[in-house]
Amino acid sequence: MASINENYLKLPGSYLFAEIARRVTAFKSENPSANIIRLGIGDVTQPLVPSVIKGLHTAIDEMAQPATFRGYGPEQGYDFLIQTIIDHDFAPRGVTLDIDEVFVSDGSKSDVGNIQEIFGLDNIVAITDPVYPVYLDSNVMAGRTGTLNNGRFEKIVYMPCNAENQFIPELPKEKVDMIYLCVPNNPTGTTLSKAELTKWVEFAKANDAIILFDAAYESYIQEPDIPHSIYEIDGAKEVAIEFRSFSKTAGFTGTRCAYTVVPKTVMGRTASGETHSLNKLWNRRQTTKFNGVPYIIQRGAQAVYTPEGQQQIKEVIKYYMANAKIIREGLQSIGLQVFGGVNAPYIWLKTPNNMDSWDFFDKLLTEVNIVGTPGTGFGPSGAGYFRLTAFGSRENTEQAIERIKTKLSL
């Protein structure tokens, strides 16, 4: 009999969103007539914009002709998409990147989960708490976290984020090697100013640490003077890897396209002290384990950057941020303490009367048939908090808030 990777047994229960789905399914089976509104998982509801559809159709037609048919593409992504990404997402912000520093993938979730493979198991990992579960879980699976004690893994450095510190993490006081930052943050919606982000870059440089910077929601930033890329900070190209996604920016949750930036100047060390470029290691990983994003999808992603595409996705983002305002102001009107929803499509709220997060989940589901996400699913410091997303339709968003305001017993 084959032995197993026992690190998987260290994971508590099921994956957060799988547990939510299980509870909703059980409730629906017992209450088949319930009209459930889902504001839990961050999946989009608006269709792909016309420019993207046009790009996809054009690529499909190309695949039907011998002269323009394509089979295997480059695992790193086609140059036409990578250069477009550099020209539109980075060059206008004063960031210079080489074409072999950008890797197109099938999603940021895949990349932030897989990136840990190029790091040694003896590295100390720091994560903000609460945070997107994949950062922690993928390191547990790898065997980098030790055992779980009282809700925390012994080798993980948790950086608590709560209302008292405005959900802005403090610099670690102990030695860390890998730092996960999600900005704008999922689930709290927090952003970091240029001065605050500079502190992290300086800390990483001073402590030989690597920042794994998840910028999946950068297109939702509304306020000026907030960096959209960590590479806007001097020195960041020496210490940071950045993840970007088309999922929430352009509705690609079902289409699957993202990219990761690994500058060739970001280095790691061997046990003997030799330095190696993480860019080369990630390239080796991807070319071994990944066959690349389909040509058709990459043409659709390129269409996001056309003038028409840019205007169209801005309208979709505007739509979701209007939903966020409806949720935020609706919850505030009944006295709930609410955060986020300004530079991110997530609303992070304090549960009423210090209610347990899963108890509030059940209450919301049973009393008003609305699905959200319990804060404890994002980490120990999420206890007593709850997340709602702005990715629903306008009709469902308005109906959900009306239900909460008129039918939820607080």
Side-chain angles (χ1 to χ4, degrees):
M1 183 180 293
S3 62
I4 65 171
N5 179 354
E6 296 185 24
N7 293 305
Y8 277 68
L9 304 179
K10 299 175 183 178
L11 293 165
S14 61
Y15 180 59
L16 170 62
F17 298 108
E19 174 61 18
I20 290 173
R22 186 193 67 79
R23 294 195 184 202
V24 173
T25 299
F27 176 79
K28 186 67 175 176
S29 66
E30 296 174 2
N31 303 271
S33 63
N35 178 18
I36 296 175
I37 296 177
R38 300 172 187 268
L39 299 181
I41 191 169
D43 195 5
V44 298
T45 55
Q46 297 303 294
L48 296 171
V49 299
S51 290
V52 170
I53 295 297
K54 180 180 178 181
L56 294 172
H57 278 302
T58 299
I60 289 171
D61 290 340
E62 290 181 38
M63 296 295 279
Q65 302 298 324
T68 52
F69 171 80
R70 288 171 173 81
Y72 289 125
E75 294 93 344
Q76 304 89 342
Y78 285 98
D79 285 357
F80 66 76
L81 177 56
I82 294 174
Q83 192 61 58
T84 302
I85 287 169
I86 293 171
D87 292 344
H88 287 80
D89 287 348
F90 295 98
R93 299 186 181 281
V95 179
T96 301
L97 293 172
D98 293 336
I99 203 163
D100 58 354
E101 293 179 309
V102 178
F103 297 80
V104 178
S105 76
D106 62 354
S108 284
K109 180 178 181 179
S110 302
D111 287 353
V112 298
N114 293 330
I115 195 70
Q116 53 78 30
E117 291 183 20
I118 68 174
F119 293 95
L121 295 182
D122 58 344
N123 285 311
I124 302 300
V125 176
I127 61 171
T128 54
D129 173 31
V131 80
Y132 186 45
V134 174
Y135 310 152
L136 175 63
D137 289 359
S138 58
N139 280 286
V140 174
M141 293 171 178
R144 200 175 280 112
T145 61
T147 57
L148 182 66
N149 295 309
N150 298 318
R152 288 176 168 81
F153 285 92
E154 59 182 346
K155 293 184 180 180
I156 292 291
V157 174
Y158 292 84
M159 300 180 289
C161 299
N162 48 48
E164 287 67 36
N165 62 12
Q166 298 180 314
F167 301 100
I168 297 175
E170 296 180 3
L171 297 172
K173 295 180 174 57
E174 52 270 87
K175 169 65 175 173
V176 298
D177 304 295
M178 299 161 58
I179 303 168
Y180 287 84
L181 294 178
C182 180
V183 184
N185 185 262
N186 175 15
T188 67
T190 306
T191 55
L192 296 177
S193 68
K194 187 170 185 178
E196 290 162 342
L197 197 52
T198 297
K199 293 178 184 177
W200 285 98
V201 171
E202 291 176 347
F203 175 87
K205 292 179 69 175
N207 293 274
D208 289 329
I210 300 296
I211 297 174
L212 304 170
F213 190 78
D214 188 350
Y217 302 97
E218 63 80 26
S219 61
Y220 287 84
I221 294 173
Q222 306 294 305
E223 296 178 323
D225 303 324
I226 296 175
H228 287 244
S229 169
I230 195 169
Y231 302 123
E232 295 178 52
I233 309 302
D234 289 342
K237 286 176 66 175
E238 300 172 21
V239 295
I241 295 172
E242 181 167 308
F243 307 89
R244 294 277 193 103
S245 175
F246 293 96
S247 286
K248 311 302 167 59
T249 300
F252 275 52
T253 55
T255 311
R256 310 310 302 150
C257 195
Y259 64 88
T260 293
V261 181
V262 189
K264 286 174 284 191
T265 45
V266 181
M267 310 296 286
R269 286 194 179 91
T270 64
S272 61
E274 297 176 350
T275 58
H276 290 267
S277 170
L278 296 185
N279 177 283
K280 290 184 178 180
L281 298 183
W282 184 243
N283 184 63
R284 186 66 171 86
R285 190 268 172 204
Q286 291 297 83
T287 54
T288 300
K289 294 189 175 185
F290 184 57
N291 258 355
V293 175
Y295 171 76
I296 294 168
I297 302 302
Q298 292 192 56
R299 281 298 187 191
Q302 184 188 33
V304 168
Y305 295 101
T306 63
E308 298 82 8
Q310 287 290 283
Q311 184 57 42
Q312 289 163 4
I313 65 169
K314 285 179 181 178
E315 289 300 314
V316 175
I317 291 170
K318 182 179 178 181
Y319 177 94
Y320 289 135
M321 291 309 294
N323 282 350
K325 182 178 181 181
I326 290 169
I327 297 171
R328 187 180 70 251
E329 294 182 352
L331 297 179
Q332 289 173 335
S333 72
I334 57 175
L336 291 177
Q337 192 175 11
V338 182
F339 311 91
V342 176
N343 295 300
Y346 295 117
I347 289 78
W348 186 244
L349 63 106
K350 190 78 177 69
T351 57
N353 306 313
N354 294 315
M355 184 180 294
D356 174 82
S357 295
W358 278 107
D359 287 345
F360 187 67
F361 172 91
D362 291 334
K363 181 181 181 67
L364 206 62
L365 178 61
T366 57
E367 290 189 11
V368 291
N369 303 157
I370 295 171
V371 178
T373 309
T376 47
F378 298 99
S381 293
Y385 290 94
F386 201 80
R387 191 193 78 172
L388 295 174
T389 84
F391 288 121
S393 67
R394 181 62 46 75
E395 178 184 5
N396 280 349
T397 300
E398 292 175 340
Q399 186 177 351
I401 294 306
E402 186 61 26
R403 287 186 196 175
I404 291 173
K405 291 167 65 174
T406 59
K407 297 181 179 180
L408 186 67
S409 58
L410 298 177

